[in-house]
Structure formats: C-alpha cells, structure tokens
Amino acid sequence: FRLIRVEGDSMAPTLDNGDYILMKTPRSRFKPRSGFVYVVQHERFGRIIKRLVHTESGLFWFSGDNPN
C-alpha cells in the first residue's frame, strides 16, 4: 500500500483537495471494474485519480466526479 495525497478538485465531492487515499498495487490477474476509483499514470499529466466509467476492446475511459 502507498499513501497518496489528493491534489485538485476533479474528484470532488468524493475526494477533496488535501484528502489522503491508500493505493493498492493490483495483482497480476487484475480486472478493472467500471465505477471504481483508480490511480493511473497518465503520459501527459503524471499520476491522476479518476473513476473508470467504461471499458471496450482493451481501452479504458476515466472521468472525474466533479460536475463542474
């Protein structure tokens, strides 16, 4: 497990700026599930925290919870 501090408001109201989350490294047979929150290494933005909203043909769509 790793302790990660949330930066920004893209996941509000679920996670607020300054909150802490525990990140668990997935097992080798990990199957991502829609609706769950994941920490993802993004090639442009670095480490981000987003909700998985859809998977199709090995592609993943993530979104923040903040309606704004």
Side-chain angles (χ1 to χ4, degrees), residues 3-55:
L3 187 63
I4 296 176
R5 186 172 185 263
V6 175
E7 295 179 13
D9 63 354
S10 70
M11 286 301 294
T14 307
L15 300 170
D16 291 316
N17 187 48
D19 286 353
Y20 286 89
I21 63 168
L22 281 176
M23 180 181 82
K24 179 180 176 184
T25 304
R27 298 178 185 179
S28 60
R29 289 181 274 161
F30 172 69
K31 292 182 79 173
R33 294 176 24 189
S34 293
F36 281 66
V37 174
Y38 293 96
V39 177
V40 177
Q41 187 63 36
H42 189 278
E43 63 185 34
R44 181 174 172 198
F45 300 113
R47 186 173 58 203
I48 60 174
I49 303 169
K50 299 294 177 193
R51 186 173 306 280
L52 180 60
V53 293
H54 181 72
T55 62

